Amino acid sequence: HRGPHLRAIVTDVLKLVGDASVIRLSQNKPPLHYFDYFLKLDWEVAITHPGERAYRTADELIGAAAKQDEGKAPPSVTRNRLSAGTFKIKEFSSEEVPLDGQWQLAVKVKKPCSIDGELNGLAEGL
């Protein structure tokens, strides 16, 4: 596909609370892997062209902030953001692995896609 693409990226770790350890009880047995976390991440969906980076580098973000009023950081790390939000896993734990192996994500859309139609549906689905 040669046209524009939608890309979903994680832009920040907002909260990571918990711990992990590897416990070896015996040389004859494999080690036990334990983890228990609360995890919350920021995400953005952006439109890009093939081979183009979806995010801006630190230098690009600093340059954009210098051009804006009061030197505030840009609202997005992507060039062409369509939507943004957070997702979290409240109980990301080795003791409570879901039967299907997939932890439930609580998704919140903070900046919905302002474009109506099919593109909006694709951005939200991504």
Coordinates of all heavy atoms in Angstrom, one line a residue, residues 29-83:
K29 N 15.4 -27.3 38.8 CA 14.1 -26.8 38.3 C 14.3 -25.4 37.6 O 15.2 -24.7 38.0 CB 13.2 -26.7 39.5 CG 12.8 -28.0 40.1 CD 11.8 -27.8 41.2 CE 11.5 -29.1 41.9 NZ 10.6 -28.9 43.0
P30 N 13.4 -25.2 36.7 CA 13.5 -23.8 36.0 C 13.1 -22.7 37.0 O 12.4 -23.0 38.0 CB 12.5 -23.9 34.9 CG 11.6 -25.1 35.2 CD 12.4 -26.0 36.1
P31 N 13.6 -21.5 36.9 CA 13.3 -20.5 37.8 C 11.8 -20.1 37.7 O 11.2 -20.3 36.7 CB 14.2 -19.3 37.4 CG 14.5 -19.6 36.0 CD 14.5 -21.1 35.8
L32 N 11.3 -19.5 38.8 CA 10.0 -18.9 38.8 C 10.0 -17.5 38.4 O 10.9 -16.7 38.9 CB 9.3 -19.1 40.2 CG 9.2 -20.5 40.8 CD1 8.8 -20.4 42.2 CD2 8.2 -21.3 39.9
H33 N 9.1 -17.0 37.6 CA 9.1 -15.6 37.2 C 7.8 -15.0 37.9 O 6.7 -15.5 37.6 CB 9.0 -15.4 35.7 CG 10.3 -15.9 35.0 ND1 10.4 -17.2 34.6 CD2 11.4 -15.3 34.7 CE1 11.6 -17.4 34.1 NE2 12.2 -16.2 34.1
Y34 N 8.0 -14.0 38.6 CA 6.9 -13.3 39.3 C 6.9 -11.8 38.9 O 7.9 -11.2 38.8 CB 7.2 -13.4 40.9 CG 6.2 -12.5 41.6 CD1 4.9 -12.9 41.9 CD2 6.7 -11.3 42.1 CE1 4.1 -12.0 42.6 CE2 5.8 -10.4 42.8 CZ 4.5 -10.8 43.0 OH 3.7 -10.0 43.7
F35 N 5.7 -11.3 38.7 CA 5.5 -9.9 38.4 C 4.1 -9.5 38.9 O 3.2 -10.3 38.8 CB 5.8 -9.5 37.0 CG 4.9 -10.2 36.0 CD1 3.7 -9.7 35.6 CD2 5.3 -11.5 35.4 CE1 2.8 -10.4 34.7 CE2 4.5 -12.1 34.5 CZ 3.3 -11.6 34.1
D36 N 4.0 -8.3 39.3 CA 2.7 -7.7 39.7 C 2.8 -6.2 39.5 O 3.5 -5.5 40.3 CB 2.5 -8.1 41.2 CG 1.1 -7.7 41.6 OD1 0.2 -7.5 40.8 OD2 0.8 -7.7 42.8
Y37 N 2.1 -5.7 38.5 CA 2.2 -4.3 38.2 C 0.8 -3.7 38.0 O -0.1 -4.3 37.6 CB 3.0 -4.1 36.9 CG 4.4 -4.3 37.0 CD1 5.0 -5.5 36.5 CD2 5.3 -3.4 37.6 CE1 6.4 -5.7 36.6 CE2 6.6 -3.6 37.7 CZ 7.2 -4.7 37.2 OH 8.5 -4.9 37.3
F38 N 0.8 -2.4 38.2 CA -0.3 -1.5 37.7 C 0.4 -0.7 36.6 O 1.4 0.0 36.9 CB -0.8 -0.6 38.8 CG -1.8 0.4 38.2 CD1 -3.2 0.1 38.2 CD2 -1.4 1.7 37.8 CE1 -4.1 1.1 37.7 CE2 -2.3 2.6 37.3 CZ -3.6 2.3 37.2
L39 N -0.1 -0.6 35.4 CA 0.5 0.0 34.3 C -0.5 0.9 33.6 O -1.6 0.5 33.3 CB 1.0 -1.1 33.3 CG 1.6 -0.7 32.0 CD1 3.0 0.0 32.3 CD2 1.9 -2.0 31.2
K40 N -0.1 2.2 33.3 CA -0.9 3.1 32.6 C 0.0 3.8 31.6 O 1.1 4.4 31.9 CB -1.5 4.1 33.5 CG -2.5 5.1 32.8 CD -3.2 6.0 33.9 CE -4.2 6.9 33.2 NZ -4.8 7.8 34.1
L41 N -0.4 3.8 30.3 CA 0.3 4.4 29.2 C -0.5 5.4 28.4 O -1.7 5.2 28.2 CB 0.8 3.3 28.3 CG 1.6 2.1 28.9 CD1 1.7 1.0 27.9 CD2 2.9 2.6 29.3
D42 N 0.2 6.4 27.8 CA -0.4 7.3 26.9 C -0.2 6.7 25.5 O 0.8 6.1 25.2 CB 0.3 8.7 26.9 CG -0.4 9.7 27.7 OD1 -1.6 9.5 28.0 OD2 0.2 10.7 28.0
W43 N -1.2 7.0 24.6 CA -1.1 6.5 23.2 C -1.6 7.6 22.3 O -2.4 8.5 22.7 CB -1.8 5.2 23.0 CG -3.3 5.3 23.3 CD1 -3.9 4.9 24.5 CD2 -4.4 5.8 22.5 NE1 -5.2 5.1 24.4 CE2 -5.5 5.6 23.2 CE3 -4.4 6.3 21.2 CZ2 -6.8 6.0 22.7 CZ3 -5.7 6.7 20.7 CH2 -6.8 6.5 21.5
E44 N -1.1 7.5 21.0 CA -1.6 8.4 20.0 C -1.8 7.6 18.7 O -1.0 6.7 18.5 CB -0.7 9.6 19.7 CG -0.6 10.6 20.9 CD 0.2 11.8 20.6 OE1 0.5 12.0 19.4 OE2 0.6 12.5 21.5
V45 N -2.7 8.0 17.9 CA -2.9 7.5 16.5 C -2.6 8.6 15.6 O -3.2 9.7 15.7 CB -4.3 6.9 16.3 CG1 -4.4 6.5 14.8 CG2 -4.5 5.7 17.2
A46 N -1.7 8.4 14.6 CA -1.3 9.4 13.7 C -1.3 8.9 12.3 O -1.3 7.7 12.1 CB 0.1 9.9 14.0
I47 N -1.5 9.8 11.3 CA -1.4 9.4 9.9 C 0.0 9.7 9.4 O 0.5 10.8 9.7 CB -2.6 10.1 9.1 CG1 -2.7 9.5 7.7 CG2 -2.4 11.6 9.1 CD1 -4.0 9.9 7.0
T48 N 0.6 8.8 8.7 CA 1.9 9.0 8.2 C 2.0 8.4 6.7 O 1.1 7.6 6.3 CB 3.0 8.2 9.0 OG1 2.7 6.8 9.0 CG2 3.0 8.7 10.4
H49 N 3.0 8.7 6.1 CA 3.3 8.2 4.7 C 4.3 7.0 4.9 O 5.1 7.0 5.9 CB 3.8 9.2 3.8 CG 2.8 10.3 3.5 ND1 1.8 10.0 2.6 CD2 2.6 11.5 4.0 CE1 1.0 11.1 2.5 NE2 1.5 12.0 3.3
P50 N 4.4 6.1 4.0 CA 5.3 5.0 4.1 C 6.8 5.5 4.3 O 7.2 6.4 3.6 CB 5.2 4.2 2.8 CG 3.8 4.6 2.3 CD 3.5 6.0 2.8
G51 N 7.5 4.9 5.2 CA 8.9 5.3 5.5 C 9.0 6.6 6.4 O 10.1 6.9 6.8
E52 N 7.9 7.2 6.7 CA 7.9 8.4 7.5 C 7.8 8.1 9.0 O 7.0 7.2 9.3 CB 6.8 9.3 7.1 CG 6.7 10.6 7.9 CD 5.5 11.5 7.4 OE1 4.4 10.9 7.3 OE2 5.7 12.7 7.2
R53 N 8.5 8.7 9.9 CA 8.4 8.6 11.3 C 7.1 9.2 11.8 O 6.7 10.3 11.4 CB 9.5 9.3 12.1 CG 10.7 8.5 12.5 CD 11.6 9.3 13.4 NE 11.4 10.7 13.5 CZ 12.2 11.6 12.9 NH1 13.2 11.3 12.2 NH2 11.9 12.9 13.1
A54 N 6.4 8.5 12.7 CA 5.1 9.1 13.2 C 5.4 10.1 14.3 O 4.6 11.0 14.5 CB 4.2 7.9 13.7
Y55 N 6.5 10.0 15.0 CA 6.8 10.8 16.1 C 7.8 11.9 15.7 O 8.5 11.8 14.7 CB 7.3 10.0 17.3 CG 8.6 9.3 17.0 CD1 9.8 9.9 17.2 CD2 8.6 8.0 16.4 CE1 11.0 9.3 16.9 CE2 9.8 7.4 16.1 CZ 11.0 8.0 16.3 OH 12.1 7.4 16.0
R56 N 7.9 12.9 16.6 CA 8.9 14.0 16.4 C 10.0 13.7 17.4 O 9.8 13.3 18.5 CB 8.3 15.3 16.6 CG 7.3 15.7 15.6 CD 6.8 17.1 15.8 NE 5.7 17.1 16.7 CZ 5.0 18.2 17.1 NH1 5.3 19.3 16.6 NH2 4.0 18.1 18.0
T57 N 11.2 14.0 17.0 CA 12.4 13.8 17.9 C 12.4 14.9 18.9 O 11.6 15.9 18.9 CB 13.7 13.9 17.1 OG1 13.8 15.3 16.6 CG2 13.8 12.9 15.9
A58 N 13.2 14.7 20.0 CA 13.3 15.7 21.0 C 13.7 17.1 20.5 O 13.1 18.1 20.9 CB 14.3 15.2 22.1
D59 N 14.6 17.1 19.5 CA 15.0 18.4 18.9 C 13.8 19.1 18.2 O 13.6 20.3 18.3 CB 16.2 18.2 18.0 CG 17.5 17.9 18.7 OD1 17.6 18.2 19.9 OD2 18.4 17.4 18.0
E60 N 13.0 18.3 17.5 CA 11.9 18.8 16.8 C 10.8 19.3 17.8 O 10.2 20.4 17.6 CB 11.3 17.8 15.9 CG 12.1 17.4 14.7 CD 11.6 16.2 14.0 OE1 11.0 15.3 14.6 OE2 11.9 16.1 12.8
L61 N 10.6 18.6 18.9 CA 9.6 19.1 19.9 C 10.1 20.3 20.6 O 9.3 21.2 20.9 CB 9.4 17.9 21.0 CG 8.6 16.7 20.4 CD1 8.7 15.6 21.4 CD2 7.2 17.1 20.1
I62 N 11.4 20.4 20.9 CA 12.0 21.6 21.5 C 11.8 22.8 20.6 O 11.4 23.9 21.0 CB 13.4 21.4 22.0 CG1 13.5 20.4 23.1 CG2 14.1 22.7 22.4 CD1 14.9 19.9 23.4
G63 N 12.1 22.6 19.3 CA 11.9 23.7 18.3 C 10.5 24.1 18.2 O 10.2 25.3 18.1
A64 N 9.6 23.2 18.2 CA 8.1 23.6 18.2 C 7.7 24.3 19.4 O 7.0 25.3 19.3 CB 7.3 22.3 18.0
A65 N 8.2 23.9 20.6 CA 7.9 24.6 21.8 C 8.4 26.1 21.8 O 7.8 27.0 22.3 CB 8.5 23.9 23.0
A66 N 9.6 26.3 21.2 CA 10.2 27.6 21.2 C 9.4 28.5 20.3 O 9.4 29.7 20.5 CB 11.7 27.5 20.6
K67 N 8.7 28.0 19.3 CA 7.9 28.8 18.4 C 6.5 29.1 18.9 O 5.8 30.0 18.4 CB 7.8 28.1 17.0 CG 9.1 28.0 16.3 CD 8.9 27.2 15.0 CE 10.3 27.0 14.4 NZ 10.2 26.1 13.2
Q68 N 6.1 28.4 19.9 CA 4.7 28.6 20.5 C 4.7 29.6 21.6 O 5.8 29.9 22.1 CB 4.2 27.3 21.0 CG 3.9 26.3 19.9 CD 3.2 25.0 20.5 OE1 3.0 24.9 21.6 NE2 2.8 24.1 19.6
D69 N 3.5 30.1 21.9 CA 3.4 31.0 23.0 C 3.9 30.4 24.3 O 3.6 29.3 24.7 CB 1.9 31.4 23.2 CG 1.4 32.2 22.0 OD1 2.2 32.9 21.4 OD2 0.2 32.0 21.7
E70 N 4.7 31.2 25.1 CA 5.2 30.9 26.4 C 6.1 29.6 26.4 O 6.4 29.1 27.4 CB 4.0 30.7 27.4 CG 3.2 31.9 27.5 CD 2.0 31.7 28.4 OE1 2.1 30.8 29.3 OE2 1.0 32.4 28.2
G71 N 6.5 29.1 25.2 CA 7.5 28.0 25.2 C 6.9 26.7 25.7 O 7.6 25.8 26.1
K72 N 5.6 26.6 25.7 CA 4.9 25.3 26.1 C 5.2 24.2 25.2 O 5.3 24.4 24.0 CB 3.4 25.5 26.3 CG 3.1 26.5 27.5 CD 1.6 26.6 27.6 CE 1.3 27.5 28.8 NZ -0.2 27.7 28.9
A73 N 5.2 23.0 25.7 CA 5.4 21.8 24.9 C 4.2 21.6 23.9 O 3.1 21.9 24.3 CB 5.6 20.6 25.7
P74 N 4.5 21.1 22.7 CA 3.3 20.8 21.8 C 2.4 19.8 22.5 O 2.8 18.9 23.3 CB 4.0 20.2 20.6 CG 5.5 20.6 20.7 CD 5.7 20.8 22.2
P75 N 1.1 19.8 22.1 CA 0.2 18.9 22.7 C 0.3 17.4 22.2 O -0.2 16.5 22.8 CB -1.2 19.4 22.3 CG -0.9 20.2 21.0 CD 0.5 20.8 21.2
S76 N 1.2 17.2 21.2 CA 1.3 15.9 20.6 C 2.8 15.7 20.2 O 3.5 16.6 19.8 CB 0.5 15.8 19.4 OG 0.7 14.6 18.7
V77 N 3.2 14.4 20.4 CA 4.6 14.1 20.0 C 4.6 13.6 18.5 O 5.6 13.5 17.9 CB 5.2 13.0 20.8 CG1 5.3 13.4 22.3 CG2 4.5 11.7 20.8
T78 N 3.4 13.4 18.0 CA 3.3 13.0 16.5 C 3.1 14.2 15.7 O 2.7 15.3 16.1 CB 2.1 12.0 16.3 OG1 0.9 12.7 16.6 CG2 2.3 10.8 17.1
R79 N 3.4 14.0 14.4 CA 3.2 15.1 13.4 C 1.8 15.4 13.1 O 1.3 16.5 13.0 CB 4.0 14.8 12.1 CG 5.5 14.8 12.3 CD 6.1 14.5 10.9 NE 7.5 14.1 10.8 CZ 8.5 14.3 11.6 NH1 8.3 14.7 12.8 NH2 9.7 13.9 11.3
N80 N 1.0 14.3 12.9 CA -0.4 14.4 12.4 C -1.3 13.6 13.2 O -1.8 12.6 12.8 CB -0.4 14.0 10.9 CG 0.5 14.8 10.0 OD1 0.4 16.0 10.0 ND2 1.4 14.2 9.3
R81 N -1.5 14.0 14.5 CA -2.3 13.2 15.4 C -3.8 13.2 15.0 O -4.3 14.3 14.7 CB -2.1 13.7 16.8 CG -3.0 13.0 17.8 CD -2.8 13.5 19.2 NE -3.5 14.8 19.3 CZ -3.4 15.5 20.4 NH1 -2.7 15.1 21.5 NH2 -4.0 16.6 20.5
L82 N -4.4 12.0 15.0 CA -5.8 11.9 14.8 C -6.6 11.7 16.1 O -7.6 12.3 16.2 CB -6.1 10.7 13.8 CG -5.6 10.8 12.4 CD1 -5.9 9.6 11.6 CD2 -6.2 12.0 11.7
S83 N -6.0 10.9 17.0 CA -6.7 10.7 18.3 C -5.6 10.4 19.3 O -4.5 10.0 18.9 CB -7.8 9.7 18.2 OG -7.2 8.4 17.8

